[in-house]
Amino acid sequence: MSINEDEEILYAEEVYTRASWKKTLLTLFLFIMVLTLGVLATTIGASSLGISESLHALLAELIPGEEVSHFAQVVVLQLRLPRILMAIITGMSLGVAGAVMQGVLRNPLVSPFTLGLSSGAACGAAIAIVLGVGILGTGQYIIMINAFLFSLLTMAVVYGIARIRGTSIETLILAGVAMGYLFSAVISLLQYASGNEQLREIVFWLMGGLYATKSESVIILIPIVLFITILLMRYSWDLNAMSAGEEVASSLGINVSQVRMICLFLSTVLTASVIAFTGIIGFIGLVSPHLCRLMIGSDHRYLIPWSGLTGALLLLVSDTIGRTMISPTEIPVGVVTSFIGVPFFLYLLVRRKRRWWQ
Amino acid sequence: MKLSVKELSFGYGSTSTLEDITMEVDEGKIVSLVGPNGAGKSTLIKCIDRILKPRKGTVFLDGKQAAMLTSKDFSKMMGYVPQSTHEVFPYTVFDVVLMGRRPHIGWRVNANDVKIVAKTLKFLGIEDFASRYFDELSGGEKQKIAMARAIVQEPEFLLLDEPTSNLDIRHQLEVMNIVKKLVLQRRISAVMAMHDLNLASRFSDIVVMLKDRGIYTMGDPVSVLTPENIEKVYGVKSEVKNGHMDRPYIMPLEPI
C-alpha cells in the first residue's frame, strides 16, 4: 500500500494517536505518583520525626553541607528508606510478573501463586528453617537461596510436565496448581514436625512482609528487577499477538513456544528473587494486571510498566499503613494489601461492565 | 508470486490427516479448498502457513523453499485469517489490527504503521470501530477485523480458514467481496477452506476438492462442482444449475 505524504489524517489514526499520548502521559503520572508517595512514606513512622526533619535527612544525602541529627539519619536512611524501596521493587516485580504470566498463558487467573511458585518458595524456605539445610549448603542465606531455587525448580517441573503433552496452556496451569498443593502438604508436614521457634518462623515467612529488609537486599534486587523488567517489556508485541491465539501469533512470525518459555522463565526469576527476601506476598501479582487492564487496556507495551507501577503503589501504601496504623505493632502487609486492594478491585469490576474472561 | 505444494503429508502421531498433496496457486487467483469435515482443508491451510509442520513434502514460493525463510520474512508473505478469533483480554479494534504489523516493526510503531492500519479499517468500512473493544463486536464484524489484521501484514498470499462459516448472508458476501477486491487490486492470491459450495463456486478461480486426506480433483468450478463429484466426495445427491455469472449453483438433495 502506498502512502502519500500530503494525505489527510484519517479518523482512526487520530483516535489511536490521541489514545497513545494519553496512555504515555498517564504512565508518567503514575511513575511520579510512586516517587512522591515513596518520599512521603519516609516521613511517617513509629519514631516521632517531623516531616521537615525526615525530608532534610533525605536531602542531606543528596546535597552535601546539609546538617541533620544522627538519629534522623539512621531512622530515615537505614530503617525507612530500604523498606520503602523494597516495597516498591517487590510490588513492581509481582505486578510485572503477573501481567506477563497472564499474558503468556492467556488466562486471567494466573499468578505466581496459582502456578505454584509461591508455594514452592515457601516449601524451600520451610525446609531450610526446619532442617537447617539448603540446596547450596548451609549459612546465613540458606533460607533465601532455598526459597529462590525451589521457585525455579517448581517452574521447571511444571513446564516440563506441560512439555510432555506439547506445551498446552491448560496442562501447564493445572500442573502448577497441583504442584502448589503438593508443596502446601510438605509445608504442613514440616510445620507439624517443627518446634516452637521454627514454627513461628515458618508462619512469618508464609505471611510475608518487609520488616526484615536490609539495605544490601535492596542493592542486590534493584538491578535484577530493572533488568528483567526491561527484557520482558521487549516482548510486549509478542505477548499482544499471542493473546489472539497461538495460530495467529505463529502466522505473525512469532516462535510461540520459545517466547512462552523465555517469558515464563524471566517472570519466574523476577518473582523468585523478591519473594526469597520477603516471603509470600499474594494478591498483587494476580490483581495488579487486572486493575491496569480495567484502566488502560491490554496492550502490553503499557500494561507491563503500569502493572509494575500499580503493584509498587499498592504494596507501598499497604506497607506504610501496616507499619504505622497501630505502631509500634505492625499489621502484616498481606492483610493490608487485601483489605485495600480487594474492595477497590471489586468496585472496578462492578462499575466497568467489561467481561473479558468469558 | 506463485505458491506450489509438493507431495505434502501431515499427521498427528500414527494417524495421518493429509497424504501426498500437490497443487499450485498462481498469482492473482482465488483457490477454494472444499470437501467434507475431516478431509483436511484446515490442516492444509495450516501446513502452508507453517503453523503445522508437515511430516513430508515441501511448500515453494516462486520456486524457493518456504521452510528456509525466517519466520519474520515468511510472515510478510502469508496472512492468515483463522476461523474465529477470541481475545481473552480487552483489546481495542485498532490494537488487534495493529498486531498484524508485527512482522514489520520492532518495538516502536511509526506513523506509517498507524496510517496503514487506519487506511485498512477505512477500506473495509469499519473505521468507526477503531476504539471499540473487539469482544463487543458481532461475529461478522470480528471476521472483518481478523481480515484487516492479515491485510496490514501486506502479504502476497491470504490464507482463510472457513471465512464465512459463522456469518449471516450479508456478511458472507461482504467478506467474499473483500477477498475478491484484494486479489484484483493488489495482485495477491487467496487460498480458502470453504464449506459453502455455492460461495466457493461463485468466487473462486480454482476449486480443489479434498477427500480421504488427498486431492480428489481440482480445476475451475464448472468442471469440479458436478453432481458426480459431489456424490463421490460428500455422499450427497445434488442438482447443479447454471447460477449467477454462469457459475454452477449446487442444490443438495439428499444423502445417499
Side-chain angles (χ1 to χ4, degrees):
Chain A
M1 208 188 300
S2 65
I3 303 291
N4 299 325
E5 290 295 331
D6 55 341
E7 217 166 344
E8 49 161 345
I9 291 171
L10 297 164
Y11 165 76
E13 207 179 347
E14 202 187 322
V15 167
Y16 177 78
T17 313
R18 209 182 311 129
S20 303
W21 267 107
K22 209 168 130 194
K23 284 182 199 170
T24 310
L25 282 178
L26 281 171
T27 312
L28 205 66
F29 171 74
L30 194 60
F31 179 69
I32 292 169
M33 205 150 117
V34 171
L35 277 187
T36 315
L37 283 178
V39 171
L40 269 180
T42 60
T43 67
I44 14 182
S47 48
S48 52
L49 273 181
I51 291 182
S52 65
E53 213 172 340
S54 310
L55 289 179
H56 253 91
L58 263 189
L59 282 176
E61 270 305 285
L62 304 172
I63 309 159
E66 252 338 272
E67 286 292 319
V68 275
S69 70
H70 181 65
F71 174 67
Q73 234 173 358
V74 169
V75 168
V76 173
L77 295 175
Q78 283 174 30
L79 294 176
R80 290 181 191 166
L81 193 60
R83 183 162 172 171
I84 285 159
L85 287 174
M86 191 68 170
I88 291 174
I89 45 179
T90 304
M92 183 172 141
S93 305
L94 296 174
V96 168
V100 172
M101 284 173 173
Q102 287 176 5
V104 88
L105 297 177
R106 300 182 75 209
N107 190 308
L109 295 177
V110 164
S111 74
F113 222 63
T114 31
L115 290 183
L117 302 181
S118 306
S119 313
C123 185
I127 288 174
I129 291 168
V130 173
L131 305 178
V133 291
I135 294 182
L136 293 181
T138 52
Q140 196 190 348
Y141 292 109
I142 58 161
I143 297 176
M144 289 174 196
I145 293 171
N146 234 28
F148 178 79
L149 291 176
F150 263 75
S151 249
L152 293 193
L153 193 73
T154 311
M155 186 43 93
V157 170
V158 167
Y159 190 82
I161 292 171
R163 195 66 206 239
I164 300 170
R165 309 265 338 141
T167 8
S168 122
I169 288 176
E170 290 74 18
T171 319
L172 200 147
I173 296 172
L174 283 175
V177 172
M179 287 296 283
Y181 275 106
L182 181 65
F183 284 127
S184 300
V186 176
I187 296 168
S188 299
L189 189 69
L190 286 167
Q191 283 179 308
Y192 189 69
S194 65
N196 250 341
E197 194 51 40
Q198 294 165 337
L199 184 62
R200 210 177 124 79
E201 210 177 330
I202 295 176
V203 170
F204 267 112
W205 210 94
L206 288 175
M207 252 196 292
L210 305 163
Y211 47 85
T213 304
K214 295 191 186 99
S215 318
E216 302 91 79
S217 341
V218 177
I219 292 164
I220 297 171
L221 282 177
I222 286 177
I224 298 178
V225 169
L226 288 182
F227 181 64
I228 295 181
T229 303
I230 290 166
L231 276 184
L232 283 171
M233 280 172 64
R234 293 182 64 89
Y235 286 95
S236 300
W237 275 108
D238 295 356
L239 292 176
N240 285 351
M242 278 162 73
S243 72
E246 280 175 47
E247 287 166 1
V248 170
S250 131
S251 79
L252 292 174
I254 293 162
N255 186 338
V256 176
S257 55
Q258 189 190 325
V259 170
R260 185 177 296 154
M261 192 180 77
I262 293 172
C263 285
L264 280 179
F265 173 72
L266 288 176
S267 45
T268 302
V269 173
L270 197 59
T271 316
S273 330
V274 295
I275 58 179
F277 287 100
T278 62
I280 293 179
I281 293 178
F283 186 68
I284 287 178
L286 175 71
V287 153
S288 183
H290 287 298
L291 286 176
C292 298
R293 277 194 205 95
L294 289 167
M295 293 185 283
I296 55 145
S298 308
D299 184 343
H300 286 83
R301 286 177 299 155
Y302 299 100
L303 181 65
I304 293 175
W306 255 69
S307 184
L309 291 170
T310 304
L313 206 63
L314 209 58
L315 195 59
L316 175 63
V317 171
S318 304
D319 186 54
T320 309
I321 292 175
R323 75 184 160 89
T324 54
M325 191 121 112
I326 50 166
S327 67
T329 315
E330 283 201 13
I331 310 170
V333 69
V335 175
V336 189
T337 319
S338 302
F339 271 123
I340 299 174
V342 173
F344 182 48
F345 181 52
L346 292 179
Y347 163 74
L348 277 181
L349 276 187
V350 175
R351 203 190 53 147
R352 301 283 186 107
K353 293 197 184 85
R354 303 217 28 74
R355 296 162 302 177
W356 69 85
W357 44 79
Q358 277 177 348
Chain B
M1 195 174 262
K2 185 176 171 172
L3 171 88
S4 27
V5 178
K6 287 237 163 70
E7 292 159 9
L8 186 139
S9 301
F10 178 83
Y12 296 100
S14 58
T15 60
S16 105
T17 47
L18 282 178
E19 274 165 24
D20 264 338
I21 303 288
T22 298
M23 59 179 269
E24 289 190 342
V25 179
D26 288 326
E27 186 173 298
K29 297 283 186 230
I30 299 181
V31 175
S32 284
L33 309 174
V34 301
N37 289 330
K41 306 184 291 290
S42 299
T43 311
L44 180 52
I45 294 256
K46 286 173 191 168
C47 283
I48 294 175
D49 200 24
R50 304 207 321 200
I51 293 170
L52 296 174
K53 202 170 184 288
R55 186 179 276 173
K56 196 168 81 50
T58 327
V59 175
F60 294 96
L61 293 170
D62 268 352
K64 285 186 204 112
Q65 278 194 39
M68 304 302 270
L69 292 166
T70 65
S71 49
K72 203 168 179 176
D73 286 341
F74 183 76
S75 63
K76 287 177 189 163
M77 292 184 197
M78 295 268 176
Y80 169 73
V81 182
Q83 195 173 349
S84 65
T85 309
H86 171 63
E87 291 284 352
V88 184
F89 299 117
Y91 282 94
T92 63
V93 166
F94 200 100
D95 283 337
V96 170
V97 178
L98 189 62
M99 286 169 202
R101 295 299 296 164
R102 176 69 186 85
H104 298 269
I105 52 182
W107 199 73
R108 287 187 71 81
V109 183
N110 62 32
N112 188 37
D113 297 313
V114 175
K115 188 126 221 155
I116 289 170
V117 172
K119 273 190 149 188
T120 306
L121 290 177
K122 198 172 178 186
F123 172 75
L124 299 183
I126 48 177
E127 214 190 358
D128 294 343
F129 292 167
S131 57
R132 299 225 352 232
Y133 281 101
F134 181 77
D135 267 15
E136 288 168 356
L137 304 176
S138 76
E141 292 160 348
K142 281 183 184 170
Q143 189 65 17
K144 284 192 199 165
I145 286 150
M147 290 180 74
R149 178 175 55 206
I151 294 168
V152 302
Q153 274 178 263
E154 301 185 314
E156 305 274 345
F157 293 91
L158 210 51
L159 305 169
L160 303 105
D161 193 356
E162 296 182 17
T164 58
S165 57
N166 299 314
L167 309 185
D168 60 44
I169 47 173
R170 184 189 167 89
H171 278 109
Q172 288 183 357
L173 291 175
E174 284 182 359
V175 161
M176 295 314 293
N177 278 330
I178 292 167
V179 174
K180 201 171 162 185
K181 210 164 143 189
L182 281 169
V183 167
L184 280 175
Q185 286 181 358
R186 302 194 187 167
R187 300 295 300 163
I188 65 172
S189 321
V191 181
M192 317 182 283
M194 292 289 282
H195 262 310
D196 189 323
L197 294 179
N198 287 318
L199 282 177
S201 158
R202 183 165 155 189
F203 287 94
S204 332
D205 300 303
I206 305 283
V207 175
V208 177
M209 214 174 221
L210 295 163
K211 183 189 188 241
D212 294 337
R213 307 182 292 274
I215 293 176
Y216 180 76
T217 179
M218 60 182 151
D220 61 89
V222 178
S223 63
V224 170
L225 297 169
T226 61
E228 298 75 42
N229 286 341
I230 292 169
E231 188 176 323
K232 283 265 167 50
V233 169
Y234 287 91
V236 167
K237 264 205 184 331
S238 64
E239 240 175 68
V240 176
K241 294 180 171 172
N242 198 1
H244 182 71
M245 311 269 286
D246 284 333
R247 296 294 178 105
Y249 181 81
I250 298 102
M251 253 191 345
L253 298 175
E254 56 184 333
I256 301 165

